[in-house]
Amino acid sequence: MCGIVGYIGKRNSLPIIIEGLKRLEYRGYDSAGVSIINDKDEIISFKQAGKVNKLEEALDVDKFQGNIGIGHTRWATHGVPNDTNAHPHYDMDKNIMIVHNGIIENYKLIKNRLIEEKYTFTTDTDTEILANLINYHHKNTNDFETAVRLALLEVEGTYGIACLCAKEPDKILVARKGSPLMLGIGNEEILVASDASAIINHTKNVIYLEDGEMAALERGSFHLKTIEDKDIYRNIEVLDFLLDDIEKGGYDHFMLKEICEQPDTIQNTYRGRINFETGVAKLGGLDSIAEKLFKAKRIIITACGTAWHAGLVGEYMLEHYCRIPVEVEYASEFRYRRPIISTDDVVILISQSGETADTLAALREAKKFGATTIGIVNVIGSTIAREVDAGTYVHAGAEIGVASTKAFTCQVMSLALITLMIANEKKTVSHHDLIKLAKELKQIPEKIARMVGMKDSYKEVAMKFKDAKNFLYLGRGFNFPVALEGALKLKEISYIHAEGYPAAEMKHGPIALIDENMPVVFIAPKDRTYDKIISSIMEVKARNGVIIAIASEGDDNINSYSDFVLRVPKTAALFAPIINIIPLQFLSYYIAAARGCNVDQPRNLAKSVTVE
Ligand code: AGP
């Protein structure tokens, strides 16, 4: 949520910062700004509402020359997204310039205190208050680093910050608490960014800041410490992805690219983790807690949004195949309802970014009660990945489109692997069936590839519904979470109102909405709920609803009940959500694209939600 990038070195900083901001824009994009220290050691700044492209066009490039600078792309929390509230923010004396991700929770208290000290404010942001607080301490200490440290010691809430000081124009100070920040260590230059995509073009050598840590960056050197003033020494880590991974590669949108990548990403999730001869799955990252997992009395899965939908699939899988009771919780609700957690529980946290504030808070809550925690995370080195007791990376690669697609299928595949691993240990699935499931698993990439090849047929149907106002998505069993996820995909990128329900629940309310203007997507593969789904289809048909069926290849029976049919290959129940979500991802993508929506950066959303 929001993106920060900064540069200090020998090169002109502006192009590096602008390029970084463009790569970070998927994190937040309602306004953007930069501050540069020029060759006269002055801080010059420009910011405005709108996207980074607009900022770039409006900037006077000749004026913005200098080899120290910071930039920000914003997702508004405090204050509407306008030019004034855009970052960077000055203090009242124009001494401190700051970019900030996160929320200063005690900003009112600090503001009132500063007002008593005759400080004045021009924006609605909590960030401006922090800039003034740093300035206040700078006046008292005459030392930039100490001033930042003392200010942060007073702050409650979350922050990732980068700041400049007019009186000490040869450094950038950065700090983190609850909002990711990393240093990129180059050749006589240091970069700072809220995620690796802004750095990867310049260096692969990175240092992740931990909560409560800060760093002073100078040309070619840096110094890490805690905000309590203890020095820190940390090894450099090497990023293992390529620039190509975060480029569009000829596709119109990242989302389309990411949907089409799924044959590969799914394979990356299971590669080396399953023996196809024996059907035995093994996730190395879970070795240290495997016994706890096998003996767990209960598994709690917690996550947000799409990852929560993956968690729901996990509930169906683990209860069906492993006979372990599972609860699935919205991470945002988890700790607010005084959950009963015991040391025998295993809590699984699912997160693409590994930075979602609510999921991270749920993780910390679970640890407080002594539960064993497992992360299913995509972003390597992210906070959740580092704080869990054990975990498995889904290896979906960088997901840039705000609407999650490949991360979802990889999360579900990870849960399937965990299911197979437990089922083998607990012998809740026979040896014979495990081998059958493993054989089926091996075919999933090829089946997804077939659907990617059929994308034009999905597009054709999508075109008929580009002007729809509402959509219903219905599914049963393993496909109920698919209905929820299909509806979320559509609403978040096309702004069409869409709801997902368990198909049988339709009769208890949503059926009132059915008329000739209501498209209803039924996830209706040939499985054990098929006959019941057909009954629900008939009920919608009887009320003139328009039926779009996601149906198995070779199921001709369904044609007579449906207005449109999107075909999917047959698979085992365990993998059905991975297969059946694919046409729904295409459907929402093509509808949104046809409506001219900004598919990769839908309004009001951000890729990683690092505020609670
Ligand atoms: C889904 O398309 C959204 N991007 C959103 O629901 C997302 O899944 C949610 O914010 C959780 O993010 P995470 O996986 O990074 O924790």
Side-chain angles (χ1 to χ4, degrees), residues 303-308 350-356 359 384 399 401-405 407 411 485 488-489 492 605-609:
C304 299
T306 287
W308 182 79
I350 308 178
S351 176
Q352 187 286 127
S353 62
E355 301 292 350
T356 299
T359 313
I384 293 173
E399 191 181 65
V402 165
S404 189
T405 52
Q411 286 159 353
E485 175 59 9
L488 176 65
K489 283 292 86 81
E492 68 182 333
L605 290 176
K607 183 67 185 163
S608 111
V609 183

